[in-house]
Structures are given as C-alpha cells and as structure tokens.
C-alpha cells in the first residue's frame, strides 16, 4: 500500500471518528441529559436510553472513539513530518530562531 493510500484511509477514518464524536456529544448533551437536569425536566429521576445504551455507556464509546482519533492523529502527523519540517524551515529561515522557537514549543 502506498503512503498516499494509507494517508487517505487514515484521514477518512479520522473524519468518521470526528463525526461520531460530534454526534455522540450532541446525543449526550441534548437527548441523554444528566441526572440533575432530568429531575428538573421530567419531575422525577427517569432512566434515559438510546439504542439500549444509557448516558454512561455512550460516554465510554465516546472515550474509545476519541482515543482512536488521537492515535490516528499521531500517525497522521508522523506521515506528514517531513512536510511539517520543510514548512517550518521555510517560514523561519534563521536556524537560531528556529531552534529557540522549537525549545519554547517543547
């Protein structure tokens, strides 16, 4: 598999992960509302579920997908590292300034 195909697959999976994170985040915020707000809205403590999963189970799925996204992001940066360095060198031509900025960022 070529580097460009691998990059395309990684970016596609990252896009799906971001969409899933946004969707689950909205689900947890507006549908599976927290316990203290449930009582205020429904007048009693009811169990809210979506597709048979409660808020905490969706939160676990959210965390797993976020971990996958972060892992893919690290791979994505590694695949683009040469380009990142080239752009960094072009933006900051002075080697001493580049080194100082790199130390500050680290």
């Amino acid at each position: 598999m070529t580097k460009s195909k691998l990059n395309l697959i990684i970016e596609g999976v990252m896009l799906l992960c971001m969409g899933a994170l946004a969707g689950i985040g909205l689900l947890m915020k507006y549908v599976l509302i927290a316990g203290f707000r449930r009582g205020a809205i429904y007048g009693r403590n009811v169990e809210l579920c979506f597709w048979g999963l409660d808020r905490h189970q969706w939160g676990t799925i959210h965390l797993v997908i976020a971990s996958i996204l972060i892992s893919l992001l690290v791979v994505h940066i590694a695949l683009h590292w040469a380009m990142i360095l080239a752009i960094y060198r072009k933006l900051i031509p002075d080697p001493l300034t580049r080194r100082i900025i790199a130390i500050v960022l680290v």
Side-chain angles (χ1 to χ4, degrees), residues 5-15 72-73 75-76 79:
K5 284 183 183 178
L6 178 63
N7 193 34
L8 182 64
I9 291 169
I10 288 172
E11 289 175 356
V13 174
M14 287 173 61
L15 179 64
L72 289 172
L73 181 61
V75 173
H76 180 77
L79 287 173

Side-chain angles (χ1 to χ4, degrees), residues 67-81:
S67 300
I68 292 169
L69 178 62
I70 290 171
S71 301
L72 289 172
L73 181 61
V74 169
V75 173
H76 180 77
I77 290 171
L79 287 173
H80 288 89
W81 191 247

Side-chain angles (χ1 to χ4, degrees), residues 35-91:
F36 67 93
R37 289 187 49 222
R38 263 188 306 213
I41 292 171
Y42 296 109
R44 63 190 193 293
N45 194 13
V46 296
E47 268 310 306
L48 297 176
C49 292
F50 185 76
W51 288 346
L53 302 174
D54 65 9
R55 179 181 174 83
H56 294 286
Q57 292 166 323
W58 280 109
T60 301
I61 294 170
H62 192 79
L63 177 66
V64 169
I65 294 172
S67 300
I68 292 169
L69 178 62
I70 290 171
S71 301
L72 289 172
L73 181 61
V74 169
V75 173
H76 180 77
I77 290 171
L79 287 173
H80 288 89
W81 191 247
M83 182 178 65
I84 292 168
L85 289 180
I87 292 170
Y88 184 65
R89 286 185 190 116
K90 191 171 186 175
L91 286 175

